[in-house]
Amino acid sequence: MRVPRSALLCRYGVVLKDGSYVEQGGKGTEKHGYSTMMYVRSVFAFNSADYLGKACAIAIRYCAVRRQFPKAGAPGEDNQVLNYQGVQVRTLPWIAAAFALRFTGQKMLKIYFESEKRVAAGDTSQVADAHALSSGLKAVTTKLAADGIEELRRACGGHGYLHFAGLGELYGNAMLMFTGEGENYMIIQQLTRWLQKGDFGDGWAGFLASQDAATSKCNVREPADWLDMDTQVAALQHRACQRVRSIKRELDSHIAAGHSGMDAMQKVQWDGIQASFAVGEALMADAFRDGVQSSEPALQPILQHLCSLFSLDLLERNLADLLMHDYATPSQGKALRAQARALLDTIRPDAVGLVDSFCYSDN
């Protein structure tokens, strides 16, 4: 099949008869190539909320109907499996994650459209930042959705394994976004390279340049202090800052030892990927907090509980980082874990209502 040059999509560049490529479109043309990729990655993050939200609706509804083992104080009545903490830990945080994905996707799309306006006006100063963040968040958000769907499937036992439950199909569709537009562990390295340049600006990721975010200590005095969204975001930002700075130190150390830049990058590759995930998670928590604060007052209490559960779940999974960097003490870590468990009891009565609020059809 031969495609004539007149049929090529060549708004910003043209292929001449001799095969050479020539850019066209004026200043900023070379930056337009990022546009479609940035948009698709932002949409992936936004759509991840739907995939995970649907999995939450299936799993939560099933676990609210499924009963097993006698209910204390109610002879002859079995307990809803959703009342067991072992099931709540594996399901309720994913409802919070679905909301986090929604707010993150909205913020990514807002940044994309703002970047497009700037480029159209000839200002390409923000393109590199937006491209790096969209690359990293594409990986963080789609991985989170895929992990959540699989955990929810497992929480449903044999029902989750059945085809008609729909969870297997959801997982397959979500994995398309995990792989598409750059496999996650490959594409996130674009954020890693941007982080190593150290030019963070004053935008969404501006906290990485903050000395306070990197060197501050946890200000939690009472267990309930962990329920403050600013405290949660500060802890996640500190973790991200320390991860990024650690990679820079390791990279400089390898280069000082005589390794080439490429060889040094290879030696810190995995730690760089983990640092990028830490940055992405901090950005998600920040977007969730902003979303809660801009929501209708009547919705803010339950959204704040969900934001806290999302952030504390992330922090509990990464307590080692907070302790290694001397940010938090063991007693503060224990208090964090206790508050994460208490939030399960707080959110449990609203679990079915929360997934119903996604308004997914039963058809």
Side-chain angles (χ1 to χ4, degrees), residues 245-263:
R245 293 186 177 207
S246 176
I247 295 305
K248 184 65 168 63
R249 289 193 298 268
E250 289 182 33
L251 191 62
D252 291 344
S253 176
H254 288 306
I255 292 176
H259 295 282
S260 67
M262 185 66 70
D263 190 32

Side-chain angles (χ1 to χ4, degrees), residues 107-128:
K107 189 159 187 173
M108 288 178 68
L109 285 169
K110 180 180 178 181
I111 290 174
Y112 162 75
F113 288 121
E114 289 176 350
S115 176
E116 281 292 276
K117 288 181 181 179
R118 287 173 176 268
V119 171
D123 179 6
T124 61
S125 61
Q126 303 298 315
V127 172

Side-chain angles (χ1 to χ4, degrees), residues 215-226:
T215 61
S216 61
K217 300 293 184 182
C218 180
N219 62 1
V220 169
R221 289 190 173 88
E222 301 292 334
D225 292 343
W226 276 117

Side-chain angles (χ1 to χ4, degrees), residues 64-331:
V65 172
R66 176 78 168 92
R67 292 174 178 270
Q68 193 169 13
F69 305 119
K71 185 176 182 180
E77 182 180 354
D78 283 352
N79 202 10
Q80 295 168 286
V81 297
L82 191 55
N83 290 335
Y84 294 111
Q85 188 184 73
V87 174
Q88 293 172 1
V89 169
R90 301 167 64 196
T91 55
L92 300 187
W94 297 114
I95 302 177
F99 279 91
L101 287 169
R102 177 77 63 182
F103 287 122
T104 302
Q106 289 174 344
K107 189 159 187 173
M108 288 178 68
L109 285 169
K110 180 180 178 181
I111 290 174
Y112 162 75
F113 288 121
E114 289 176 350
S115 176
E116 281 292 276
K117 288 181 181 179
R118 287 173 176 268
V119 171
D123 179 6
T124 61
S125 61
Q126 303 298 315
V127 172
D129 295 1
H131 178 254
L133 293 179
S134 69
S135 298
L137 283 167
K138 179 268 180 188
V140 175
T141 55
T142 57
K143 180 180 183 299
L144 183 70
D147 289 348
I149 295 169
E150 173 59 12
E151 183 62 34
L152 289 163
R153 184 195 67 78
R154 294 179 182 182
C156 290
H159 176 75
Y161 188 74
L162 296 177
H163 176 72
F164 68 74
L167 290 167
E169 183 178 357
L170 276 174
Y171 181 75
N173 291 336
M175 284 304 293
L176 167 65
M177 297 186 297
F178 186 105
T179 305
E181 197 58 40
E183 191 277 334
N184 278 353
Y185 287 90
M186 179 278 294
I187 200 67
I188 200 169
Q189 293 179 63
Q190 296 194 30
L191 175 58
T192 305
R193 286 191 288 272
W194 179 79
L195 291 172
Q196 290 168 357
K197 294 177 181 178
D199 185 14
F200 306 123
D202 57 358
W204 195 5
F207 69 88
L208 292 168
S210 169
Q211 188 67 20
D212 288 341
T215 61
S216 61
K217 300 293 184 182
C218 180
N219 62 1
V220 169
R221 289 190 173 88
E222 301 292 334
D225 292 343
W226 276 117
L227 298 179
D228 178 69
M229 293 188 294
D230 292 339
T231 297
Q232 299 155 13
V233 171
L236 287 165
Q237 289 180 343
H238 177 87
R239 169 179 170 251
C241 286
Q242 288 295 336
R243 280 279 196 170
V244 171
R245 293 186 177 207
S246 176
I247 295 305
K248 184 65 168 63
R249 289 193 298 268
E250 289 182 33
L251 191 62
D252 291 344
S253 176
H254 288 306
I255 292 176
H259 295 282
S260 67
M262 185 66 70
D263 190 32
M265 284 284 292
Q266 172 63 18
K267 289 182 178 297
V268 302
Q269 184 182 50
W270 183 248
D271 288 333
I273 290 171
Q274 295 304 306
S276 297
F277 272 104
V279 170
E281 289 164 355
L283 293 174
M284 286 191 68
D286 179 74
F288 202 163
R289 176 188 59 183
D290 290 349
V292 173
Q293 293 172 344
S294 62
S295 297
E296 297 178 18
L299 298 177
Q300 289 186 10
I302 185 61
L303 287 177
Q304 184 168 347
H305 291 322
L306 290 169
C307 182
S308 293
L309 182 58
F310 174 73
S311 296
L312 294 183
D313 185 62
L314 285 176
L315 289 168
E316 184 184 357
R317 293 170 188 265
N318 296 281
L319 264 178
D321 283 346
L322 302 183
L323 297 174
M324 285 173 58
H325 300 144
D326 199 27
Y327 177 78
T329 65
S331 62

Side-chain angles (χ1 to χ4, degrees), residues 2-53:
R2 184 174 181 275
V3 180
R5 289 186 303 110
S6 60
L8 297 179
L9 300 175
C10 49
R11 180 180 178 185
Y12 300 116
V14 62
V15 178
L16 302 179
K17 288 185 176 181
D18 63 3
S20 58
Y21 173 78
V22 178
E23 291 182 348
Q24 60 183 15
K27 184 179 179 182
T29 295
E30 71 282 0
K31 301 293 186 181
H32 280 283
Y34 292 117
S35 178
T36 301
M37 293 186 292
M38 289 164 55
Y39 177 71
V40 171
R41 290 166 187 165
S42 299
V43 170
F44 275 5
F46 192 82
N47 289 348
S48 291
D50 269 338
Y51 283 111
L52 182 57

